[in-house]
Amino acid sequence: RGRRPVDPALDAGVRLGRSALAAPDRLRAPARLAAVRAQLDALPPAPEGAARRTEVTAVIVTASQPARLDALLAALGRIGVAALVVDNAGVPENALVVARHPDARHLRLEQPRNYAAANEHAIAEVTTRWTLLLNDDVLPMDDHWPDRMLVAADEGTVAVGAQLVPGRRGLPRGHALHRTVQHALHL
C-alpha cells in the first residue's frame, strides 16, 4: 500500500488542534494522577509473591519505540520479571536497549509479522510457568502488580488481565492521565 504525501502545514494544524483539545486533560492530570495513586494505596496489601515473579516471562513485541521499551524494561528489571523482547524487524537501537537490561533477552525477526504471530513466535521460546504479554508502551503504576496477578492465577486459570489506564500526550509532550479504563478482564 502506498503512503499518501503529508502536507506539513495541515499536519502542524492537526497537531496543534489535538494539543488544544488535550489541554484541559493536561491541566487535570495532577488531580487524576493523585486519584489513581489513592486508589492504588487503598488496595489490600500486595501478597508476598516476589519469589513467584521468577515464574513469569514478559513477552514484549516492539519495532520502533526504543525509549518506551527502555522504560518498560527498567520497570520489569526493578521488580525481577524476566523479559523476552520480540524485535519485529524494528530499529537497530532495540538491540542496544535490550543489552542494557540483564533480565531481558532479544529475539529479532527479520521480516515484520503481525502482533499475534510475533507473540506466538516468542511464546515458543518461553520456559517459565507463566507468560505475560505486554505492549511496549505500558508502564506499571506500582511494583506489586505482578504479585496481584499471580495470586489471581491459580491452577485452573487460563488468563489474567490487568486494568489498563491510558495516558495521552499533546504537543508539549505533557502526560495527562485519565481515570478511564482502557482494558479490564473479568472471567
Side-chain angles (χ1 to χ4, degrees), residues 120-131:
E120 185 177 0
H121 187 75
I123 288 170
E125 303 280 326
V126 173
T127 59
T128 55
R129 181 174 180 197
W130 298 101
T131 303

Side-chain angles (χ1 to χ4, degrees), residues 59-96:
V59 172
I60 305 159
V61 176
T62 193
S64 60
Q65 298 293 331
R68 288 180 177 177
L69 178 64
D70 193 36
L72 175 56
L73 291 177
L76 291 172
R78 185 178 64 245
I79 61 174
V81 172
L84 175 56
V85 176
V86 183
D87 186 347
N88 201 8
V91 296
E93 291 84 1
N94 289 337
L96 300 172

Side-chain angles (χ1 to χ4, degrees), residues 85-166:
V85 176
V86 183
D87 186 347
N88 201 8
V91 296
E93 291 84 1
N94 289 337
L96 300 172
V97 166
V98 174
R100 286 197 297 264
H101 300 277
D103 293 329
R105 290 186 303 142
H106 184 251
L107 177 63
R108 170 94 178 151
L109 301 178
E110 295 302 325
Q111 296 295 319
R113 298 184 181 184
N114 66 41
Y115 184 73
N119 274 312
E120 185 177 0
H121 187 75
I123 288 170
E125 303 280 326
V126 173
T127 59
T128 55
R129 181 174 180 197
W130 298 101
T131 303
L132 173 65
L133 304 179
L134 288 177
N135 290 349
D136 61 357
D137 62 347
V138 172
L139 280 177
M141 295 189 68
D142 77 2
D143 288 348
H144 302 291
W145 61 272
D147 305 326
R148 291 186 182 98
M149 290 180 76
L150 285 167
V151 165
D154 60 15
E155 286 305 313
T157 303
V158 175
V160 176
Q163 179 173 316
L164 299 180
V165 181

